[in-house]
Amino acid sequence: GAVVSQHPSWVICKSGTSVKIECRSLDFQATTMFWYRQFPKQSLMLMATSNEGSKATYEQGVEKDKFLINHASLTLSTLTVTSAHPEDSSFYICSAPTGTASQPQHFGDGTRLSIL
Amino acid sequence: AQSVTQPDIHITVSEGASLELRCNYSYGATPYLFWYVQSPGQGLQLLLKYFSGDTLVQGIKGFEAEFKRSQSSFNLRKPSVHWSDAAEYFCAALWMDSSYKLIFGSGTRLLVRP
C-alpha cells in the first residue's frame, strides 16, 4: 500500500486563489520531504526540501513567496501555491526519504493543479 | 555537476519486441542508480536499483538493467514488451553526499504498437 499519501489528487481553481497540497507519510516519520514540479512530458524538477520544525530549503529559481512550504509535524508537509495563476498549472509530486539508500524516497501519487 | 542523461525522448516498439532504454550519469563517483516508471497522472514506481555487486539487476514487471562503469551507463531492458508497459520511464541517481536527493533524467516515453 501507499506509504506516502498526497491530497488532493486533482484541483481546479480560479486565478488568484491559493491552493494547499498535503503530503503525509504513513507508518513512518519523515523529518524531510521533497516537493517536485513536473511539466507535461518533462522530468521532475526539485522545488524544495521541507524540514520538520524549520524553514524549507528552496532550489535556485523557485519563488519562496509563491510556494509556501510548511512541515509542522513528522508526518505532514504542505505546499501552498499562493495567488495561483495559469502558469502555475502543473503536476506536483511530494516524496519522503526512508533513510535508506535502497529505497531512497517514497513518492506520493501527485497533484494535478489546473488554474483557470 | 551531478547529472543524469536519458538521450531518447520517446521510443516506440511493437508489442512482443525487446526494449532498451538508455541512461548515463556524470560526476566521477559511482552513484546508486534507479529506474522508475510513471503512468499518466500518477506518481513514480520503483522498477529496480543498483548499488554494487552484480552489474545485471532484476526488477519488477520483467525489467532488468545493466550497469557498465566504463560507459557510466545503466540501461533498462525488457525482452518482450507488453502494451501495459507504455508509460514514462525515469532514470535517477543518488550520490551519497546529496542527502538522499535523487537526480532525475529527463525521461523516456515508451509507446507500444499493437
Side-chain angles (χ1 to χ4, degrees), chain B:
Chain B
Q2 300 162 341
S3 67
V4 176
T5 303
Q6 292 180 249
D8 303 305
I9 297 174
H10 53 77
I11 283 181
T12 302
V13 300
S14 298
E15 190 169 18
S18 63
L19 168 71
E20 182 169 34
L21 302 182
R22 296 182 292 167
C23 172
N24 293 91
Y25 64 91
S26 67
Y27 190 77
T30 299
Y32 295 161
L33 294 160
F34 307 85
W35 274 98
Y36 288 88
V37 60
Q38 183 183 35
S39 297
Q42 296 189 23
L44 278 72
Q45 181 181 24
L46 180 66
L47 285 176
L48 46 75
K49 59 201 176 216
Y50 172 77
F51 300 137
S52 63
D54 193 346
T55 56
L56 185 63
V57 294
Q58 303 297 320
I60 62 172
K61 303 184 179 185
F63 286 93
E64 64 178 29
E66 185 172 13
F67 169 67
K68 292 185 177 180
R69 186 185 303 276
S70 61
Q71 299 177 19
S72 297
S73 69
F74 187 56
N75 294 349
L76 182 70
R77 300 195 295 245
K78 187 169 185 177
S80 178
V81 170
H82 188 262
W83 65 266
S84 59
D85 293 324
E88 188 86 19
Y89 291 81
F90 293 98
C91 182
L94 186 155
W95 281 268
M96 289 311 293
D97 60 348
S98 66
S99 302
Y100 297 105
K101 280 186 188 178
L102 283 169
I103 306 297
F104 285 91
S106 54
T108 298
R109 180 167 296 275
L110 174 63
L111 304 174
V112 180
R113 279 194 296 258

Side-chain angles (χ1 to χ4, degrees), chain A residues 9-75:
Chain A
S9 57
W10 198 3
V11 58
I12 302 174
C13 59
K14 295 180 179 179
S15 184
T17 306
S18 292
V19 179
K20 180 184 284 187
I21 302 170
E22 294 186 348
C23 183
R24 294 181 184 273
S25 58
L26 308 177
D27 299 329
F28 72 101
Q29 294 180 337
T31 56
T32 299
M33 289 188 181
F34 299 107
W35 287 97
Y36 296 86
R37 182 173 183 177
Q38 185 181 30
F39 289 104
K41 301 183 180 181
Q42 294 188 27
S43 189
L44 283 73
M45 181 193 77
L46 181 64
M47 299 174 65
T49 304
S50 72
N51 304 293
E52 189 267 336
S54 64
K55 292 182 179 180
T57 304
Y58 288 83
E59 297 299 306
Q60 191 172 7
V62 177
E63 298 178 62
K64 300 178 183 181
D65 296 331
K66 161 67 75 175
F67 301 101
L68 299 180
I69 290 174
N70 183 270
H71 195 146
S73 76
L74 289 171
T75 59

